[in-house]
Amino acid sequence: MASDITYHDGPVFSRIDDSPAEEEPPSQPATPSNEYERIGGRTGSSFFQTLIHLLKGNIGTGLLGLPLAVKNAGLVLGPLSLLVMGIVAIHCMSLLVKCSHHLSVKLGKPFLTYGDAVEYGMENVSWLRRHSVWGRHLVNVFLIITQLGFCCVYFVFLSDNVKQVVEVANGTTWNCHTNETAVIVASMDSRLYMLCFLPFIILLVFTRNLNFLAPFSSLANLVMAASLVLIYYHSITNISLPIDLPLVGRAKDYPLFFGTAIFAFEGIGVVLPLENKMQKPQNFTMVLYMGMAIVTFLYISLGTVGYLCFGENIGGSITLNLPNCWMYQIVKLLYCFGIYITYALQFYVPAEILIPHAVSRVSGRLELLVDLSIRVALVTFTCALAVLIPELDLVISLVGSISSSALALIIPPLLQLLTFHNEGISCWVVLKNALISLVGLVGFVAGTYISIEQIIKRNHQRHNDISFQVM
């Protein structure tokens, strides 16, 4: 049983949220034609439903970290870089759709996943044909890293925000204008909060049928949308004038911007399944451009106004900078509820890749035990990583640099070259694709290096602070 649609840093459109029932593919290969044979058909998603799912697939915790990303790049360079990155991300998504469409028609297959497209694209090149299966494996590895990385981010996000709410609870007021909260009662370390969340998240991922989570997922989407409206309202109405912020950030901080930004933009895994589920797939290009234009606008606007509002004090998530009045404390808790439910949806992807292989190797009696054991192990693994790296901004940047850059920037241009290499690709297209992949590779290396360097530096500083307090 495979996941229908993978959403990155957002809910998974799988067997929930108005997803049509998946039909069995035809036993005989379809006759190649100039149109995809779609799973969706008449029962598929409408234009508006597909647009909503596309938005859901690209808006999540990454959006909340963009004000800090703009700080790392600068007040002018940050928004401009987000605009360029948005254009490139949209272009790479359209390349993936184009390559998948071409290969599916050529092979007479009704539907290709991202991994399928890369595998069959490599089969299109004679000297890569023997190793084509590794293309699928590579994509699956990056998908697993990405999804488990998101789960690590969720642990850190939940612990940081709940810890902050608890510490100021005694002095929190209903007055959000003067923010009279001044009493901060130190509570336990954020890593202990992660351990407190661990059993509840384990129980959550024991839900193997996502249909049971459908009502909670819909509620989570509503509360997260309402929370974003309030975050925008506070940020826009509390911008301090005159503005005295650097227009261009430090060069050594730019890789951190790249990692955070590409983490937010990495929704490429949703593209192929959504296109295949549409009633009228010929309209998907319009959905893609319209949806990603909205996403890019939200990213640039919240990143900019959030930085303008909080300046140099901006945190790894803008929720950590909200006033300590009850309205905004409730906003944090509501967003935490949405992230808690989203954990199960993001976890579904690596679970569906890893668990079937393990279960197929044991007898019927042990299948359930093996299934649940792997779920416990994976959740515990993400919790352990979060405990080791309890820095929200650096975890986001690291996950974005390692896996999101590969899936969103490096692979799609190379896939186009593999798919159309013997069909007369112009030198300009080769140069353009090589440049995009090179930028993604540089961001991959530099972002990963700087993120790890900063993680080590902060960890060393944390230990020094603890030692000083003990003395």
Side-chain angles (χ1 to χ4, degrees), residues 108-164:
K109 292 184 175 293
F111 174 61
L112 297 182
T113 65
Y114 197 162
D116 292 335
V118 173
E119 179 179 0
Y120 294 129
M122 291 178 67
E123 285 186 359
N124 210 34
V125 181
S126 57
W127 58 276
L128 289 176
R129 192 167 297 144
R130 290 175 53 192
H131 310 287
S132 62
V133 70
W134 289 102
R136 179 197 299 275
H137 294 331
L138 181 65
V139 170
N140 284 341
V141 166
F142 279 124
L143 280 174
I144 291 171
I145 293 173
T146 300
Q147 298 304 117
L148 293 182
F150 290 152
C151 292
C152 291
V153 170
Y154 293 168
F155 263 110
V156 182
F157 180 89
L158 289 170
S159 65
D160 284 354
N161 282 271
V162 172
K163 180 177 186 291
Q164 190 181 74

Side-chain angles (χ1 to χ4, degrees), residues 220-455:
N221 293 331
L222 289 175
V223 298
M224 291 171 71
S227 299
L228 281 178
V229 171
L230 290 174
I231 292 171
Y232 264 102
Y233 171 78
H234 175 79
S235 300
I236 293 173
T237 56
N238 287 274
I239 295 176
S240 300
L241 298 175
I243 298 170
D244 185 22
L245 297 171
L247 303 183
V248 177
R250 298 180 300 178
K252 68 177 184 178
D253 292 333
Y254 195 81
L256 295 176
F257 161 85
F258 175 87
T260 304
I262 199 62
F263 177 95
F265 270 112
E266 208 287 289
I268 195 167
V270 72
V271 170
L272 292 183
L274 276 181
E275 190 228 11
N276 193 61
K277 291 285 187 178
M278 280 194 74
Q279 293 173 355
K280 298 180 179 179
Q282 61 271 24
N283 294 332
F284 183 75
T285 300
M286 186 181 300
V287 172
L288 179 63
Y289 288 129
M290 181 182 298
M292 291 307 299
I294 295 172
V295 168
T296 303
F297 171 77
L298 290 175
Y299 286 179
I300 294 174
S301 61
L302 185 62
T304 304
V305 300
Y307 181 42
L308 287 173
C309 178
F310 299 109
E312 296 299 318
N313 298 318
I314 188 67
S317 169
I318 193 174
T319 56
L320 299 174
N321 291 96
L322 294 177
N324 293 321
C325 65
W326 279 116
M327 182 175 74
Y328 288 105
Q329 299 297 73
I330 292 172
V331 165
K332 295 175 190 176
L333 294 176
L334 289 176
Y335 215 98
C336 285
F337 169 76
I339 292 301
Y340 173 71
I341 297 300
T342 303
Y343 185 103
L345 304 179
Q346 297 289 1
F347 181 85
Y348 188 78
V349 179
E352 286 298 294
I353 293 175
L354 297 173
I355 291 177
H357 294 289
V359 169
S360 64
R361 299 175 183 272
V362 298
S363 61
R365 290 182 181 178
L366 297 176
E367 286 183 359
L368 180 60
L369 178 62
V370 171
D371 185 315
L372 297 182
S373 298
I374 293 176
R375 292 174 186 272
V376 172
L378 289 176
V379 174
T380 304
F381 176 71
T382 60
C383 181
L385 288 180
V387 168
L388 291 173
I389 315 173
E391 307 289 345
L392 182 61
D393 57 324
L394 297 182
V395 176
I396 289 176
S397 181
L398 182 63
V399 174
S401 299
I402 291 178
S403 55
S404 299
S405 58
L407 292 173
L409 296 181
I410 299 175
I411 296 178
L414 297 179
L415 178 59
Q416 186 188 27
L417 298 181
L418 295 174
T419 302
F420 298 98
H421 80 101
N422 56 356
E423 299 184 28
I425 298 181
S426 68
C427 294
W428 182 88
V429 171
V430 173
L431 181 62
K432 179 261 299 178
N433 286 14
L435 180 61
I436 293 174
S437 292
L438 180 61
V439 169
L441 182 61
V442 171
F444 173 95
V445 175
T448 301
Y449 174 79
I450 297 297
S451 297
I452 293 176
E453 180 188 53
Q454 289 298 311
I455 288 170

Side-chain angles (χ1 to χ4, degrees), residues 155-210:
F155 263 110
V156 182
F157 180 89
L158 289 170
S159 65
D160 284 354
N161 282 271
V162 172
K163 180 177 186 291
Q164 190 181 74
V165 171
V166 171
E167 287 183 340
V168 300
N170 289 337
T172 302
T173 71
W174 289 102
N175 190 338
C176 295
H177 298 288
T178 59
N179 191 17
E180 297 174 357
T181 300
V183 180
I184 299 178
V185 179
S187 66
M188 58 186 179
D189 190 278
S190 62
R191 290 169 289 190
L192 295 178
Y193 280 93
M194 297 178 198
L195 296 178
C196 292
F197 283 120
L198 179 59
F200 297 100
I201 292 180
I202 288 176
L203 290 175
L204 180 69
V205 302
F206 279 174
T207 306
R208 294 183 293 166
N209 187 343
L210 292 184

